[in-house]
């Protein structure tokens, strides 16, 4: 884990601006048909906060709300996604990005959250041969 506090820039409320390959990603993850069709049409928001060695993520789509706790100190954690167990580890690199690597069922899954030069959160998810990039802008209060 990095000693830098750069990852704290991810804290806050974010609104989806754009995405690519989301429907294909959802298909690879085993999402139900209706989620694959509706998912790319909604504009989810994410609220991220940190406490100790944990990152708390609340994702709201207008259809549902999901809360996740990610251990960011390299300790293995688990979550549920599409009624499958996701077991992973998360690490912070020197630039402040947070990489989560694990398995969803038997599928390798990598998620990278980072801040780009425009101050947007870039959420890159890789599953097999599919890469999905979602861009989030910081919500204005």
């Amino acid at each position: 884990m990095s000693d830098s506090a750069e990852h704290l820039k991810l804290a806050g409320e974010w609104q989806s601006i754009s995405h690519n390959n989301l429907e294909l990603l959802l298909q690879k993850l085993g999402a139900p048909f209706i989620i694959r069709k509706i998912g790319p049409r909604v504009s989810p928001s994410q609220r991220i906060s940190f406490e100790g060695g944990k990152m708390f993520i609340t994702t709201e789509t207008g259809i549902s709300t999901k809360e996740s706790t990610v251990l960011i100190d390299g300790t293995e954690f688990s979550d549920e996604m599409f009624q499958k167990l996701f077991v992973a580890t998360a690490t912070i690199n020197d630039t402040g990005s947070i990489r989560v690597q694990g398995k969803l069922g038997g599928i390798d899954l990598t998620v990278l959250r980072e801040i780009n030069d425009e101050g947007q959160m870039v959420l890159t998810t890789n599953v097999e041969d599919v890469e999905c990039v979602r861009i989030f802008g910081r919500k204005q209060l």
Side-chain angles (χ1 to χ4, degrees), residues 78-89:
S78 62
D79 197 1
E80 186 177 301
M81 196 180 311
F82 307 121
Q83 298 179 341
K84 296 179 188 172
L85 183 64
F86 178 51
V87 179
T89 58

Side-chain angles (χ1 to χ4, degrees), residues 9-21:
K9 291 180 181 177
L10 290 165
E13 294 195 33
W14 301 90
Q15 187 69 47
S16 176
I17 297 173
S18 66
H19 60 79
N20 69 352
N21 291 334

Side-chain angles (χ1 to χ4, degrees), residues 30-50:
F33 177 80
I34 193 75
I35 299 296
R36 293 194 318 259
K37 295 303 177 186
I38 293 174
R41 291 168 177 74
V42 298
S43 182
S45 64
Q46 289 196 344
R47 186 171 52 255
I48 298 174
S49 61
F50 295 92

Side-chain angles (χ1 to χ4, degrees), residues 17-77:
I17 297 173
S18 66
H19 60 79
N20 69 352
N21 291 334
L22 183 56
E23 186 173 346
L24 187 54
L25 172 72
L26 292 170
Q27 181 179 355
K28 291 279 186 179
L29 294 175
F33 177 80
I34 193 75
I35 299 296
R36 293 194 318 259
K37 295 303 177 186
I38 293 174
R41 291 168 177 74
V42 298
S43 182
S45 64
Q46 289 196 344
R47 186 171 52 255
I48 298 174
S49 61
F50 295 92
E51 184 177 318
K54 297 178 183 177
M55 175 172 62
F56 301 95
I57 305 166
T58 302
T59 303
E60 296 180 1
T61 65
I63 299 168
S64 66
T65 299
K66 176 162 178 34
E67 295 183 355
S68 300
T69 301
V70 177
L71 303 176
I72 55 175
D73 61 1
T75 302
E76 188 174 271
F77 68 94

Side-chain angles (χ1 to χ4, degrees), residues 79-105:
D79 197 1
E80 186 177 301
M81 196 180 311
F82 307 121
Q83 298 179 341
K84 296 179 188 172
L85 183 64
F86 178 51
V87 179
T89 58
T91 54
I92 303 170
N93 77 22
D94 292 338
T95 63
S97 65
I98 296 178
R99 178 180 303 278
V100 177
Q101 288 187 272
K103 287 196 177 283
L104 177 64

